[in-house]
Amino acid sequence: MPGVRRRPPANRTLTSQCTHHHVAVFLLTFFSYSLLHASRKTFSNVKVSISNQWTPFPHNNTSPSLQPNELWNNSHIFPDTRKATLFLGTLDTIFLFSYAVGLFISGIVGDRLNMRWVLSFGMCSSAVVVFVFGTVTEWLHFYNKWFYCFLWIVNGLLQSTGWPCVVAVMGNWFGKAGRGLVFGLWSACASVGNIFGAFLASSVLQYGYEYAFLVTASVQFAGGIIVFFGLVISPKEVGLPDIGEEGDGSAEEDVSEPLIGSSDDDDDDQNYSIQAADLSNSGSSSNTRQPKAIGFFQACCLPGVILYSLAYACLKLVNYSFFFWLPLYLYDNFGWKEAEADELSIWYDVGGIIGGTIQGFISDKLQKRAPVLAVSLILAIASLLGYSRSPNDKLINAVLMAITGFFIGGPSNMISSAISADLGRQEMVKGSSEALATVTGIVDGTGSIGAAVGQSLVSLIHDKLEWMSVFYFFSLMIGLTVLFIMPLIVNEIKMLRAERRLRRLAG
């Protein structure tokens, strides 16, 4: 049909453009963010040990009473494990708030500085802070809650350099062709980091929780050094054309456009890209002009950014609550040992890896993201209620946990990676990769604010009510996620129907 552009087959375009540089970028960004998440998971997995260490032995059910009291108990900062657990939840909230603020800043900085430097600095500096927080303080027997709060604020700011930079680098190297599948596989980096962190923590926890921090911090620091010397942030650095600049132009131009729909009915390209009014004088730029980084408020005004940011705030609240509280829930609710709870919690991340990959592949085939998200999130509510009623059986619990991770972790990975890259590559900022880190920072930063608020709410609900009420709260947040993306879902369903009508007319 006239006026309808034909898309190149996604898989053919993806494989034909892949070089060893693409593979190296994929692996380096994957493992760099995995290491950042591994250090966060370590803190989650040793909460029981930290809580016990921060409380006097006579009030600690897992430790014998030791005398004299002045020698063994004068350095502990909480009278009982309950208050220590509440403070651990406060640290989660502090970390996520500083992480959220840092994301807004890091996205802007990443679009203006060399992202390899920013990412490497964040990894190495965060490793030093984690080492001081968990290892040095324990070796020196220095326990001070204000010092812990300060370190975790700094850690949140430093770790925020990771996600905007790695998503932007991936967006520079991989176009829209197969982006859902590629980013679905790649976004498993967070879950792999969780699994790796849980493995490291459980393997050395018998020697003391300080060694879990020591091992993960050392590996993360080494990873930052490798990123500094090995990561290539753009194809142009090695003499390759940027995505969208190859071939005859028309097909590749389409490959670099997002899979987010538009509601403008008077534009022939409405089925394949977001259309919006041009930024002032943006259309008059020459091909040789160096693109400028997009402003923060301009990025917020891009179509879909606000809706997906609000949706991700609700979804990340649930996803990170599992991340922070799942081992403690298994220990508290079923009485399983801390190391066993750490190992079992891995199955939530396994489900998220599979979910992100399969759902990304399906969204590539449909060439739409929002309907796939909607179906998964509706099923997530059912899986949450099912998991909340899991019996005291490790096998059944692991299966239900993996199913829950599939329907929650999958959409979370899609929004934070593939959809963020789509939003940063839409028509309004086409040809300017300098929008990618800023848009990613906005989406993930808003999500982290929601996650930060959620950790306080989860701690409060658990303290005042019970774990079942926490799962009801999670279901409500999933429902709000669907509500926020409902306009996008309706719009993309309309576009799918229009495409079918065009295919029938074409014959």
Side-chain angles (χ1 to χ4, degrees), residues 44 47-48 85 324-333 341-342 462 467:
S44 172
K47 278 184 174 179
V48 174
T85 302
F324 282 118
W325 293 101
L326 185 55
L328 185 61
Y329 165 73
L330 297 174
Y331 172 84
D332 188 29
N333 196 56
D342 290 346
H462 168 248
W467 282 110

Side-chain angles (χ1 to χ4, degrees), residues 181-231:
L181 177 60
V182 171
F183 274 77
L185 288 168
W186 177 83
S187 63
C189 57
S191 298
V192 170
N194 294 343
I195 295 172
F196 184 58
F199 170 76
L200 289 178
S202 60
S203 62
V204 299
L205 191 58
Q206 57 182 320
Y207 305 108
Y209 74 84
E210 64 272 23
Y211 292 98
F213 286 103
L214 172 63
V215 171
T216 53
S218 301
V219 175
Q220 181 180 313
F221 189 91
I225 299 298
I226 294 173
V227 165
F228 181 81
F229 289 103
L231 182 63

Side-chain angles (χ1 to χ4, degrees), residues 26 29-31 33-35 37 163 170 180-196 349-357 409-410 412-414 416-417:
F26 185 100
T29 54
F30 184 97
F31 286 108
Y33 196 72
S34 295
L35 295 179
H37 245 263
W163 191 249
M170 283 290 293
L181 177 60
V182 171
F183 274 77
L185 288 168
W186 177 83
S187 63
C189 57
S191 298
V192 170
N194 294 343
I195 295 172
F196 184 58
D349 297 296
V350 172
I353 294 172
I354 299 173
T357 304
S412 179
N413 290 344
M414 281 184 62
S416 62
S417 58

Side-chain angles (χ1 to χ4, degrees), residues 19 21-22 24-26 28-29 110 113-117 165-174 230-246 290-291 425 431-434 436:
T19 66
H21 293 294
H22 290 79
V25 167
F26 185 100
L28 281 175
T29 54
L113 299 179
N114 189 306
M115 285 184 283
R116 184 179 73 253
W117 300 348
C165 289
V166 294
V167 172
V169 172
M170 283 290 293
N172 288 342
W173 281 91
F174 294 90
L231 182 63
V232 180
I233 65 172
S234 171
K236 292 182 178 180
E237 289 190 1
V238 290
L240 295 175
D242 198 2
I243 58 173
E245 296 181 0
E246 302 165 334
Q290 184 69 22
R425 278 280 183 179
S432 173
S433 62
E434 283 77 5
L436 280 171

Side-chain angles (χ1 to χ4, degrees), residues 43 47 50-51 54 78 81-97 149 152 324-325 328 451-460 462:
F43 178 67
K47 278 184 174 179
I50 294 178
S51 177
W54 285 353
F78 296 103
T81 55
R82 175 179 168 274
K83 290 187 178 180
T85 302
L86 289 175
F87 179 71
L88 290 173
T90 302
L91 284 179
D92 290 337
T93 303
I94 289 174
F95 172 84
L96 286 173
F97 268 120
C149 290
W152 234 222
F324 282 118
W325 293 101
L328 185 61
V453 174
Q455 303 322 299
S456 296
L457 292 176
V458 168
S459 178
L460 182 62
H462 168 248

Side-chain angles (χ1 to χ4, degrees), residues 246-400:
E246 302 165 334
D248 59 9
S250 60
E252 293 301 332
E253 178 182 354
D254 182 64
V255 169
S256 66
E257 290 174 0
L259 289 180
I260 310 248
S262 169
S263 58
D264 284 338
D265 295 330
D266 57 350
D267 194 315
D268 289 336
D269 297 334
Q270 63 171 336
N271 293 323
Y272 302 116
S273 67
I274 298 179
Q275 302 296 324
D278 289 340
L279 294 172
S280 58
N281 299 325
S282 63
S284 61
S285 300
S286 64
N287 292 332
T288 59
R289 182 180 175 182
Q290 184 69 22
K292 294 182 179 180
I294 192 172
F296 178 82
F297 292 105
Q298 290 172 322
C300 289
C301 293
L302 292 174
V305 170
I306 295 298
L307 288 177
Y308 271 118
S309 297
L310 294 174
Y312 193 49
C314 299
L315 183 58
K316 192 170 184 177
L317 183 156
V318 179
N319 195 42
Y320 261 55
S321 294
F322 272 89
F323 171 79
F324 282 118
W325 293 101
L326 185 55
L328 185 61
Y329 165 73
L330 297 174
Y331 172 84
D332 188 29
N333 196 56
F334 298 109
W336 298 336
K337 295 180 180 179
E338 184 180 16
E340 294 175 340
D342 290 346
E343 294 173 357
L344 195 66
S345 66
I346 290 174
W347 288 102
Y348 179 83
D349 297 296
V350 172
I353 294 172
I354 299 173
T357 304
I358 293 178
Q359 292 167 35
F361 176 76
I362 295 173
S363 71
D364 280 341
K365 291 298 183 182
L366 289 177
Q367 299 180 346
K368 298 291 179 290
R369 310 279 192 214
V372 179
L373 291 177
V375 173
S376 180
L377 291 171
I378 291 172
L379 294 175
I381 297 176
S383 67
L384 274 171
L385 297 178
Y387 181 70
S388 66
R389 291 169 171 79
S390 172
N392 193 345
D393 183 276
K394 293 179 182 177
L395 178 60
I396 297 176
N397 193 283
V399 172
L400 293 176

Side-chain angles (χ1 to χ4, degrees), residues 126-152:
S126 172
V128 172
V129 172
V130 169
F131 172 70
V132 173
F133 176 92
T135 306
V136 174
T137 55
E138 178 60 27
W139 284 348
L140 299 178
H141 297 288
F142 178 74
Y143 308 102
N144 186 286
K145 59 182 179 181
W146 299 113
F147 185 63
Y148 287 129
C149 290
F150 169 75
L151 288 178
W152 234 222

Side-chain angles (χ1 to χ4, degrees), residues 45-91:
N45 285 353
V46 300
K47 278 184 174 179
V48 174
S49 295
I50 294 178
S51 177
N52 292 338
Q53 183 65 25
W54 285 353
T55 55
F57 287 110
H59 301 288
N60 188 331
N61 295 329
T62 63
S63 303
S65 176
L66 299 177
Q67 299 296 331
N69 183 72
E70 293 78 10
L71 174 64
W72 292 101
N73 300 322
N74 62 356
S75 63
H76 297 287
I77 55 179
F78 296 103
D80 52 55
T81 55
R82 175 179 168 274
K83 290 187 178 180
T85 302
L86 289 175
F87 179 71
L88 290 173
T90 302
L91 284 179

